[in-house]
Amino acid sequence: MIWEAVKLAVQAIFRNALRSFLTVLGIVIGVSAVIAMVTVGQGSTEQVTADVEKLGTNVLMVMPGQDAMQGGPATTAIQQFNIRDNEALQEQLAIVDISAPLSFSRARAVFGNENRRTDIIGTDNRYFEAARWEVAIGRVFEPSEIQSGKPVCVLGETVRKSLFGYADPVGETIRIKTLSCTVIGLLQSKGASTFGSDQDDFVIMPIKAFQRRIAGNTDVSTLYLSVHEGVSTDRAKEEIERFMREIRHIGANEDDDFTVMDMKQISTMLSGITDILTGLLSAVAAVSLLVGGIGIMNIMLVSVTERTREIGIRLAIGAQARQVLTQFLVEAIVLSLIGGLIGVVLGLVLGFVGAQMLAVPFAPEPGVVLLAFAFSFAVGVIFGYFPARRAANLDPIEALRRE
């Protein structure tokens, strides 16, 4: 009986193919949009995790001021770090493997007729090791260059392309503000991050040269740390916080005036943002499923009206009301399942295209695909029941009078 109902449903659907397609369009859009959004969102989350792992799972960053995202109070005057803070961490804290000072600025780098506004970073060779940067051409700083603050620099691939094209920049001199800086090296490209920021858009120079000639002060913006293998970042974070409170003379009842963040925390934060955006977009897309369900109910009510005489004949020759109800209910379910199947295929295709465009992994979620398909089935049952019940409750005599 069910198989006969399915065959009748398919015949009725294909008898009005265009109307049926327009009816299930809401289901198709809803299912495909949800699957595509979740697939791209899952891929973005995996890419964030992979990007963070490239930096090392044992890396932490210490920054002056409290983390506003975690409810830290706003501070009007933040006590900056200095080189002595970095050296104290390196020398006195046993869990720290590498501690590198970082200072940042934005400035225009100029070579001949070419120029680019980029990040200027002051640091030393420990940063290259901690951040796992590899040299493509040339070298990093000599100890004498770091100590004396000699104006030499290492470029990221984006700056190299902007100023030199694909030529070897080593030995050339670029200008940053009023400082002439000799290029001694080029780093391997890391490409764009998950959120599209360029990881190769920078010029790195010895921190003393940066402080004297670019910043005009001795401040250090960030302490970039890696801890020894086998030391958990949670334990490292606690020890670093305790140590920083000591060297910055923070009282027992006073709040920290610095923030320690590890890569796991950054990954969780970025993944959380991705999950929220994916959830919001998926919720908006899911509204199309509701619209599709209303469309199915509407078209099934029209179908009942158009086929009133047919229903009357079936009831008059002995068909039971539950058989008529089953026929129309199955028709609504088949209609929604066709929309769900098309939506799943289209959603996976859109998810693949979106992942390729955003350069993130294609990561379909089987559970979401099954849930979206099951939801399309539920839409057919819920929104098809009322028209089917209406057909089953028709009076055969009144139905036969209809033209």
Side-chain angles (χ1 to χ4, degrees):
M1 175 180 155
I2 295 295
W3 177 241
E4 287 298 322
V6 170
K7 288 200 297 185
L8 288 173
V10 172
Q11 290 172 4
I13 290 169
F14 282 97
R15 193 162 53 234
N16 298 285
L18 180 59
R19 186 174 72 179
S20 298
F21 173 74
L22 295 175
T23 300
V24 302
L25 198 56
I27 300 291
V28 172
I29 292 173
V31 171
S32 62
V34 169
I35 291 174
M37 289 298 106
V38 172
T39 299
V40 173
Q42 184 68 20
S44 298
T45 300
E46 289 187 9
Q47 187 63 46
V48 168
T49 303
D51 286 346
V52 170
E53 286 179 353
K54 287 179 185 177
L55 298 175
T57 54
N58 62 336
V59 171
L60 299 95
M61 292 185 291
V62 187
M63 294 159 287
Q66 287 204 346
D67 186 1
M69 295 188 68
Q70 295 189 6
T75 52
T76 55
I78 299 175
Q79 182 185 351
Q80 298 293 324
F81 299 141
N82 54 50
I83 294 291
R84 292 187 301 276
D85 295 327
N86 182 77
E87 300 310 316
L89 276 170
Q90 178 76 75
E91 296 169 5
Q92 300 180 38
L93 209 54
I95 61 169
V96 173
D97 182 26
I98 301 170
S99 180
L102 292 176
S103 289
F104 306 93
S105 182
R106 290 280 293 179
R108 193 167 297 280
V110 180
F111 177 75
N113 296 324
E114 304 297 333
N115 69 88
R116 180 179 183 85
R117 187 167 178 80
T118 185
D119 291 327
I120 313 299
I121 303 174
T123 186
D124 58 33
N125 288 340
R126 289 173 289 188
Y127 173 63
F128 301 119
E129 187 178 352
R132 299 183 180 180
W133 280 107
E134 295 183 4
V135 177
I137 303 173
R139 61 177 177 83
V140 293
F141 310 128
E142 297 286 354
S144 59
E145 293 169 340
I146 297 171
Q147 186 62 36
S148 63
K150 187 176 180 179
V152 293
C153 56
V154 177
L155 306 183
E157 178 63 23
T158 300
V159 177
R160 190 271 284 263
K161 288 180 181 178
S162 294
L163 301 186
F164 301 95
Y166 290 95
D168 184 350
V170 175
E172 301 290 352
T173 300
I174 64 174
R175 180 168 53 84
I176 301 171
K177 293 187 176 179
T178 59
L179 174 65
S180 294
C181 187
T182 302
V183 179
I184 61 169
L186 172 71
L187 296 180
Q188 292 279 6
S189 174
K190 287 190 177 181
S193 69
T194 306
F195 292 93
S197 61
D198 191 344
Q199 299 182 91
D200 303 316
D201 190 5
F202 57 76
V203 174
I204 301 179
M205 63 176 58
I207 190 165
K208 287 188 178 180
F210 176 91
Q211 291 173 335
R212 292 171 186 167
R213 307 294 294 276
I214 302 296
N217 58 51
T218 59
D219 293 341
V220 172
S221 305
T222 301
L223 306 179
Y224 196 94
L225 313 175
S226 68
V227 297
H228 290 290
E229 292 295 335
V231 177
S232 73
T233 51
D234 291 334
R235 174 195 158 196
K237 188 174 178 181
E238 291 178 4
E239 292 198 26
I240 291 168
E241 287 175 345
R242 184 164 56 249
F243 183 80
M244 292 300 295
R245 288 182 66 87
E246 289 178 6
I247 66 173
R248 288 169 76 82
H249 308 294
I250 299 174
N253 297 323
E254 296 177 335
D255 293 326
D256 294 341
D257 62 358
F258 60 89
T259 302
V260 181
M261 293 188 70
D262 62 15
M263 292 297 107
K264 182 171 63 177
Q265 186 177 353
I266 294 172
S267 175
T268 301
M269 180 181 68
L270 294 177
S271 298
I273 294 172
T274 303
D275 291 344
I276 291 171
L277 291 176
T278 301
L280 289 174
L281 292 172
S282 299
V284 172
V287 174
S288 296
L289 289 172
L290 178 62
V291 174
I294 294 172
I296 288 176
M297 177 183 283
N298 182 53
I299 205 65
M300 292 305 300
L301 287 171
V302 171
S303 181
V304 169
T305 302
E306 289 180 344
R307 296 158 63 186
T308 299
R309 187 173 179 80
E310 173 195 331
I311 296 167
I313 293 172
R314 293 192 65 194
L315 291 171
I317 62 175
Q320 297 179 354
R322 63 182 179 83
Q323 292 175 318
V324 175
L325 185 146
T326 299
Q327 178 188 342
F328 280 87
L329 185 59
V330 168
E331 188 172 324
I333 293 172
V334 169
L335 202 60
S336 63
L337 288 181
I338 290 174
L341 185 61
I342 296 172
V344 167
V345 174
L346 182 60
L348 291 174
V349 171
L350 290 175
F352 178 79
V353 172
Q356 295 299 309
M357 292 178 64
L358 295 175
V360 299
F362 175 59
E365 189 69 42
V368 173
V369 173
L370 291 175
L371 182 63
F373 191 72
F375 198 77
S376 68
F377 174 82
V379 165
V381 173
I382 295 169
F383 289 93
Y385 179 76
F386 177 72
R389 184 178 176 83
R390 180 177 178 181
N393 290 336
L394 284 175
D395 185 340
I397 297 175
E398 292 298 322
L400 287 169
R401 287 176 179 173
R402 297 286 296 271
E403 293 295 333

